[in-house]
């Protein structure tokens, strides 16, 4: 979704990143905090800010804090050290804009319970500290927050801080408990396969890319499109449309576009200017992250692109008569996965978004935080189905609240959902597994055991991830060579899904089976495919969710 900016997905994303650090917030005032007073149960300890700076700079606990540090587990000490070292790459304008949203204010209210004040001005103090702390030349950090906090003393309720930390990204931890419970059912079976060919290998045709800059004058919106094709292109094969994740662009799945085009498919890779890399970078510089109507504009971008491809199909050129724009498969990743489900018939149900995003936002995953932005839409429901869509693949999609309880049951086409058990951004249980259970057949659910959010992406789009810290919200991504088996399988099943819309459907059907998924597995990343959730799995889903709701 966001290879280098993932936790900056709105006000929620910003404050989650700070919440990971236990101490939250930052600012500078005439009464800047010089002392941090930590309360843990009946015990109280005071620390000089200078000592905390030492920890941040050296990673070592100074003598003055050794006695207190000894009361914490090594895990909690490590978390505090990591917290003090964390930098937030947002400027003062971006911080101010994010915190002045409804979501930002709600999260600040939750986090203010960590920093109790007698004057009940905790929210205002946190907001001021964050905004002023962002002016520090070294960037927003725990230290710059403390030094900017508008009081000589900053009180920290450590028990409450760890309670908040423990609730961060609750859907991810729900998924881990679900995976632990279902582990016995993932045991490999003995299989015998006689495969006709290897669908992960490239086709024989050389691929060319035509870049288009479309313009929807009615919406005053540009739509950049890369059109992948080869000499093997034919109207007997469907057009395939890609829709990318938040903060990304047309290159995030380049390897997959190349692969399908080499097999004779025309692939239209759409870039959504309201949620691409440029838009998110602008947000970090002080603009809005995302407008609520982006959830409507994305499917409309695809429909407009198909309209323009219909015209291209009739015009002179190498693709004349080769674009089957009434027979389309859509492939979406992350936010684009939600877009794919929407244009395939999924009904956006905004009332459920507004209800879920009213409180307890600290516990949300980044994916749910993103969906909360849609709560700014005026209507209760939206139907954006395009009947030219005949198949859908949604990889690591957002879906948990934006489609409500019944929206996904209105998807009109055969759909394949892809998930990764270690995805922190769009956790598998809430975003994909539960959503899959609401889809009508025919449907497929593919699970990469150990796969992360970025495992599917083109290696060139994840180079920066190697230096990212591993937190409960981001990092720890399985990418590059480590995820080669993931990308190979994605190539195989994408080709098989597209082929179901051709005369070769039967030849490719074997690649959409559980046996082939197991065959394509590696010891590091087992792959499983189901067409219905087993009864035992459904019972476990309900058990996990009921336990967490208590």
């Amino acid at each position: 979704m966001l290879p280098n900016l993932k936790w900056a997905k709105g006000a929620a994303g910003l404050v989650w990143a700070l919440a990971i650090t236990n101490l939250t917030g930052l600012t500078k005032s005439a009464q800047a905090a010089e002392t941090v007073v930590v309360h843990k149960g009946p015990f109280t300890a005071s620390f000089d800010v200078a000592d905390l700076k030492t920890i941040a700079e050296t990673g070592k606990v100074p003598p003055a804090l050794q006695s207190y540090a000894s009361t914490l587990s090594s895990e909690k000490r490590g978390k505090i050290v990591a917290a003090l070292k964390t930098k937030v790459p947002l400027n003062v304008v971006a911080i101010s804009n994010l915190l002045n949203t409804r979501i930002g204010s709600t999260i600040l209210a939750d986090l203010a319970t960590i920093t109790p004040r007698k004057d009940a001005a905790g929210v205002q103090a946190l907001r001021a500290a964050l905004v002023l702390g962002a002016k520090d030349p070294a960037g927003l950090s725990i230290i710059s927050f403390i030094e900017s906090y508008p009081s000589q003393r900053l009180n920290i309720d450590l028990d409450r801080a760890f309670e908040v930390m423990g609730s961060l990204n609750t859907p991810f931890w729900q998924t881990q408990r679900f995976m632990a419970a279902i582990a016995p059912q993932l045991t490999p079976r003995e299989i015998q396969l006689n495969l006709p060919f290897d669908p992960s290998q490239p086709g024989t045709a050389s691929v060319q890319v035509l870049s288009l800059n479309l313009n929807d004058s009615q919406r005053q919106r540009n739509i950049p499109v890369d059109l992948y094709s080869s000499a093997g292109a034919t109207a007997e094969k469907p057009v395939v449309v890609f829709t990318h994740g938040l903060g990304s662009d047309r290159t995030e799945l380049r390897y997959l576009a190349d692969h399908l085009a080499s097999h004779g498919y025309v692939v239209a890779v759409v870039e959504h200017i309201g949620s691409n890399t440029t838009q998110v970078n602008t947000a970090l510089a002080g603009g809005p992250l995302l407008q609520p109507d982006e959830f409507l504009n994305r499917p409309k971008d695809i429909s407009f692109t198909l309209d323009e491809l219909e015209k291209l199909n009739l015009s002179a050129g190498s693709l004349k008569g080769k674009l089957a724009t009434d027979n389309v498969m859509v492939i979406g990743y992350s936010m684009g996965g939600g877009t794919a489900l929407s244009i395939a018939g999924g009904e956006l149900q905004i009332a459920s978004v507004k209800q879920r995003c009213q409180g307890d936002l600290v516990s949300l995953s980044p994916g749910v935080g993103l969906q909360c932005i849609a709560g700014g839409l005026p209507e209760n429901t939206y139907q954006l189905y395009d009947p030219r869509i005949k198949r859908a693949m949604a990889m690591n999609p957002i879906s948990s609240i934006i489609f409500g309880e019944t929206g996904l049951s209105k998807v009109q086409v055969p759909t394949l959902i892809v998930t990764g058990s270690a995805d922190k951004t769009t956790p598998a249980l809430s975003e994909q597994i539960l959503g899959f259970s609401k889809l009508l057949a025919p449907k497929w659910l593919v699970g990469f055991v150990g796969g992360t959010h970025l495992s599917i992406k083109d290696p060139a789009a994840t180079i920066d991830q190697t230096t990212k810290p591993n937190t409960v919200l981001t990092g720890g991504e399985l990418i590059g060579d480590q995820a080669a088996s993931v990308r190979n399988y994605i190539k195989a099943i994408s080709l098989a899904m597209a082929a179901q819309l051709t005369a070769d459907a039967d030849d490719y059907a074997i690649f959409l089976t559980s046996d082939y998924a197991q065959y394509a597995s590696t010891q590091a990343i087992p792959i499983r495919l189901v067409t219905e959730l087993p009864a035992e799995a459904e019972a476990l889903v309900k058990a996990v969710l009921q336990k967490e709701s208590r």
Side-chain angles (χ1 to χ4, degrees):
M1 184 178 273
L2 272 178
N4 57 343
L5 306 169
K6 285 204 300 185
W7 43 260
K9 292 173 184 165
L14 163 67
V15 186
W16 288 322
L18 295 170
I20 282 179
T21 64
N22 296 327
L23 304 177
T24 325
L26 302 123
T27 82
K28 288 182 182 169
S29 75
Q31 266 195 326
E34 299 174 354
T35 305
V36 175
V37 181
V38 176
H39 306 271
K40 188 178 190 323
F43 303 102
T44 299
S46 298
F47 309 123
D48 290 338
V49 174
D51 288 332
L52 298 178
K53 276 187 172 181
T54 299
I55 298 175
E57 292 169 359
T58 68
K60 297 179 180 179
V61 179
L65 300 183
Q66 287 289 353
S67 59
Y68 183 76
S70 65
T71 67
L72 300 174
S73 66
S74 59
E75 179 184 3
K76 289 185 176 179
R77 289 197 302 271
K79 288 180 178 179
I80 291 176
V81 171
L84 293 172
K85 289 177 174 289
T86 298
K87 302 289 185 182
V88 182
L90 294 176
N91 65 27
V92 62
V93 178
I95 291 285
S96 180
N97 287 345
L98 292 174
L99 295 181
N100 283 324
T101 64
R102 178 181 59 83
I103 295 174
S105 297
T106 301
I107 293 177
L108 280 179
D110 290 339
L111 295 176
T113 61
I114 298 173
T115 57
R117 293 171 60 104
K118 292 182 179 179
D119 60 6
V123 170
Q124 295 90 328
L126 284 179
R127 188 189 306 276
L130 286 164
V131 172
L132 293 175
K135 293 182 178 180
D136 191 285
L140 184 57
S141 69
I142 294 300
I143 298 299
S144 65
F145 163 73
I146 295 172
E147 292 180 328
S148 303
Y149 191 79
S151 176
Q152 291 183 342
R153 289 160 51 103
L154 171 61
N155 290 292
I156 301 291
D157 182 338
L158 198 60
D159 287 330
R160 173 59 181 158
F162 282 123
E163 181 182 341
V164 169
M165 255 187 74
S167 70
L168 286 173
N169 206 354
T170 297
F172 172 72
W173 297 115
Q174 288 177 334
T175 299
Q176 303 320 300
R177 283 185 272 277
F178 172 76
M179 293 304 299
I182 204 174
Q185 299 179 40
L186 300 177
T187 304
R189 297 175 292 103
E190 191 170 324
I191 60 172
Q192 290 184 339
L193 277 182
N194 183 20
L195 299 177
F197 50 87
D198 184 353
S200 69
Q201 292 302 304
T204 57
S206 60
V207 176
Q208 58 256 0
V209 181
L210 173 65
S211 293
L212 306 174
N213 190 19
L214 307 180
N215 181 265
D216 185 345
S217 58
Q218 185 174 355
R219 292 184 295 142
Q220 297 184 336
R221 184 171 167 105
N222 290 327
I223 307 169
V225 177
D226 281 347
L227 206 57
Y228 289 70
S229 65
S230 70
T234 168
E236 300 303 313
K237 293 185 176 181
V239 168
V240 181
V241 178
F242 283 12
T243 167
H244 63 75
L246 174 65
S248 193
D249 55 33
R250 289 164 286 169
T251 66
E252 72 175 11
L253 293 172
R254 180 182 289 159
Y255 75 93
L256 186 55
D258 273 324
H259 182 69
L260 292 173
S262 75
H263 283 273
Y265 294 89
V266 176
V267 182
V269 184
V270 177
E271 185 161 331
H272 307 285
I273 63 170
S275 48
N276 62 1
T277 304
T278 301
Q279 170 61 28
V280 172
N281 286 341
T282 300
L284 290 178
L289 178 74
L290 197 69
Q291 296 296 337
D293 63 2
E294 183 66 7
F295 289 89
L296 311 181
N297 277 322
R298 284 173 142 255
K300 291 178 181 179
D301 287 346
I302 296 174
S303 290
F304 183 82
T305 297
L306 293 178
D307 292 342
E308 294 301 297
L309 292 183
E310 285 182 14
K311 299 174 185 177
L312 184 63
N313 192 50
L314 299 175
S315 65
S318 61
L319 292 176
K320 182 178 181 180
K322 298 181 179 180
L323 300 173
T325 54
D326 60 346
N327 188 31
V328 179
M329 181 170 85
V330 61
I331 297 178
Y333 164 69
S334 196
M335 185 182 186
T339 303
L341 292 170
S342 178
I343 199 168
E347 182 180 76
L348 301 181
Q349 298 184 347
I350 307 305
S352 67
V353 176
K354 294 177 180 178
Q355 180 180 6
R356 177 63 185 89
C357 299
Q358 288 180 346
D360 187 26
L361 301 187
V362 172
S363 66
L364 303 185
S365 69
V368 175
L370 171 61
Q371 293 171 79
C372 282
I373 296 175
L377 290 169
E379 304 296 331
N380 284 331
T381 61
Y382 293 88
Q383 178 54 255
L384 299 160
Y385 171 55
D386 189 320
R388 292 171 291 190
I389 304 298
K390 299 299 193 292
R391 294 249 160 180
M393 275 185 64
M395 303 189 292
N396 302 78
I398 55 172
S399 73
S400 59
I401 61 173
I402 199 168
F403 295 106
E405 286 299 316
T406 62
L408 287 176
S409 67
K410 300 183 181 183
V411 169
Q412 301 290 312
V413 303
T415 300
L416 187 147
I417 303 289
V418 176
T419 188
S421 69
D423 186 339
K424 300 173 184 176
T425 305
T426 57
L429 181 61
S430 58
E431 299 297 338
Q432 291 100 45
I433 297 174
L434 289 179
F436 172 78
S437 68
K438 298 174 183 178
L439 292 170
L440 302 179
K443 60 183 180 178
W444 301 260
L445 175 67
V446 168
F448 293 106
V449 181
T452 62
H453 193 66
L454 301 182
S455 296
I456 286 169
K457 293 189 73 169
D458 194 290
T462 59
I463 294 174
D464 66 322
Q465 287 297 311
T466 56
T467 60
K468 298 297 180 183
N470 188 5
T471 73
V472 70
L473 291 171
T474 64
E477 291 287 346
L478 193 72
I479 54 176
D481 291 342
Q482 292 180 312
S485 64
V486 172
R487 295 190 300 277
N488 283 336
Y489 184 75
I490 289 296
K491 288 189 286 187
I493 59 169
S494 298
L495 189 63
M497 278 290 285
Q500 298 312 297
L501 296 173
T502 74
D504 298 325
D506 291 345
D507 295 338
Y508 284 84
I510 191 171
F511 302 112
L512 292 172
T513 64
S514 58
D515 282 355
Y516 179 72
Q518 185 173 311
Y519 172 85
S521 298
T522 65
Q523 187 172 1
I525 309 178
I527 307 171
R528 297 294 181 265
L529 180 148
V530 296
T531 54
E532 291 288 347
L533 285 182
E536 300 91 336
E538 285 205 52
L540 285 170
V541 169
K542 293 178 181 178
V544 169
L545 294 179
Q546 288 174 355
K547 182 178 180 181
E548 296 297 334
S549 64
R550 292 171 187 162

